[in-house]
Amino acid sequence: MAEITGGFLVPHDPVMFVAPDAPEAEKAKKVWDAYEACAERLAESGASSVIIVGNDHYMLFGTTCLPKYCIATGHVEGPLDQLPGLKKEQVQNHEALAQHIAAHGSEIGFDWAVARSFTTDHAFSIPYKLIVRRAEEISGRSISAIPVYLASAVDPFITKARACQLGEQIRGAVEAFDSDEQVFVIGSGGISHWVGVKETGKVNEAFDHQVIDLCCNADIDGLAAYTDEQVLENGGNGAMEIRNFICAMAAANASHGELIEYQPVPEWVTGLGFIELKKG
């Protein structure tokens, strides 16, 4: 059987690409170096596929259709929102595994929205470029990537409990896949950040460290216990993306997390945390 053997929780901050020189150089370098550390660890892991759990930013889905969760099972390219240094490219999707995850879900009560042709946004493409593609360069081997999108940025949100259940379903599907592949999972999202509101640029370090501690302790229940009102007050509307963390943590079933880096960067409007999900 295939197995999810590890993963990461990382940010997907587009402002890094738009204004790379906005923060002080040392702080910016620590963030870029954290992505590089994730890429090196992925390269060393032996994983041949990565499932990246992100969210739409009202670019891919609109008022005509807002799926609670969607998986890309066919052709993938992106990002749609091309940024300096982040141009659109074709993604090597693991179509067989993605289709299996969707089919497995249908059998046990998870009705996946399925995209047979899909264009990602930066929630997928930033970790894909900086971690997966870079790990391919380091290791010299091909690593496929499956996009999973949750409704964690636009109302109506997927519930945190359902995000956890979905992660467990992904894990069960991977383990039922007829392969000896090693798979990693990446939860892609910021911690505290306020998007498109008067508080934009604010970072709440205290809240960020609370979330980091829960992730490092593999305390999914503690993370899911935050009400949406608490998240909005303390972490901003962007922090609703902790649903992506919950899903990835449930999929990885890690015993603990290891903090790679945390930097509060108001110039990049986000608290940026990097955690490796580890077993044993």
Side-chain angles (χ1 to χ4, degrees):
M1 69 177 187
E3 182 183 6
I4 296 177
T5 55
F8 303 101
L9 306 176
V10 301
H12 57 238
D13 189 343
V15 188
M16 294 175 56
F17 290 83
V18 175
D21 299 325
E24 59 183 79
E26 182 179 356
K27 178 172 285 194
K29 183 177 185 301
K30 287 180 179 179
V31 174
W32 293 108
D33 285 351
Y35 281 109
E36 181 71 8
C38 293
E40 291 172 354
R41 296 184 190 195
L42 176 59
E44 293 167 359
S45 73
S48 58
S49 297
V50 177
I51 299 167
I52 300 179
V53 182
N55 56 276
D56 179 30
H57 297 84
Y58 230 28
M59 298 176 189
L60 312 179
F61 310 114
T63 55
T64 57
C65 182
L66 290 169
K68 289 295 179 67
Y69 46 96
C70 177
I71 188 167
T73 62
H75 175 85
V76 176
E77 61 182 26
L80 177 69
D81 51 330
Q82 298 180 62
L83 303 167
L86 192 71
K87 298 304 182 183
K88 184 184 288 188
E89 62 178 321
Q90 185 169 339
V91 174
Q92 182 186 335
N93 189 10
H94 193 327
E95 296 183 14
L97 179 55
Q99 292 165 11
H100 171 79
I101 291 170
H104 176 276
S106 294
E107 293 172 359
I108 62 172
F110 289 83
D111 296 321
W112 281 93
V114 169
R116 291 176 175 163
S117 180
F118 193 67
T119 303
T120 67
D121 77 348
H122 64 270
F124 174 91
S125 291
I126 288 178
Y128 177 70
K129 176 180 176 63
L130 297 182
I131 300 177
V132 179
R133 294 285 283 156
R134 177 61 181 141
E136 288 184 316
E137 294 175 356
I138 296 169
S139 66
R141 71 174 190 279
S142 178
I143 303 174
S144 57
I146 299 173
V148 167
Y149 272 69
L150 306 187
S152 57
V154 178
D155 177 63
F157 303 105
I158 187 172
T159 66
K160 300 178 194 69
R162 191 59 167 171
C164 179
Q165 293 166 358
L166 194 68
E168 293 170 349
Q169 185 268 314
I170 291 171
R171 171 161 40 94
V174 170
E175 292 174 351
F177 189 62
D178 187 15
S179 167
D180 60 357
E181 296 180 60
Q182 296 182 42
V183 179
F184 260 45
V185 61
I186 294 176
S188 170
I191 314 181
S192 66
H193 61 300
W194 282 256
V195 181
V197 293
K198 61 183 176 62
E199 295 90 352
T200 297
K202 175 182 176 182
V203 173
N204 186 345
E205 295 184 48
F207 175 79
D208 290 347
H209 283 293
Q210 290 173 10
V211 171
I212 288 168
D213 288 346
L214 290 168
C215 293
C216 287
N217 289 323
D219 188 353
I220 298 176
D221 290 341
L223 200 57
Y226 282 115
T227 66
D228 285 351
E229 291 75 18
Q230 289 172 325
V231 174
L232 289 169
E233 179 180 354
N234 294 286
N237 53 351
M240 301 295 266
E241 293 171 352
I242 63 172
R243 289 162 165 79
N244 305 342
F245 290 1
I246 289 169
C247 183
M249 290 167 67
N253 196 31
S255 62
H256 65 286
E258 177 186 318
L259 180 62
I260 296 171
E261 185 62 68
Y262 169 73
Q263 287 295 322
V265 189
E267 298 88 349
W268 286 343
V269 305
T270 310
L272 298 120
F274 299 78
I275 296 168
E276 182 176 5
L277 302 175
K278 308 187 81 168
K279 295 191 173 186

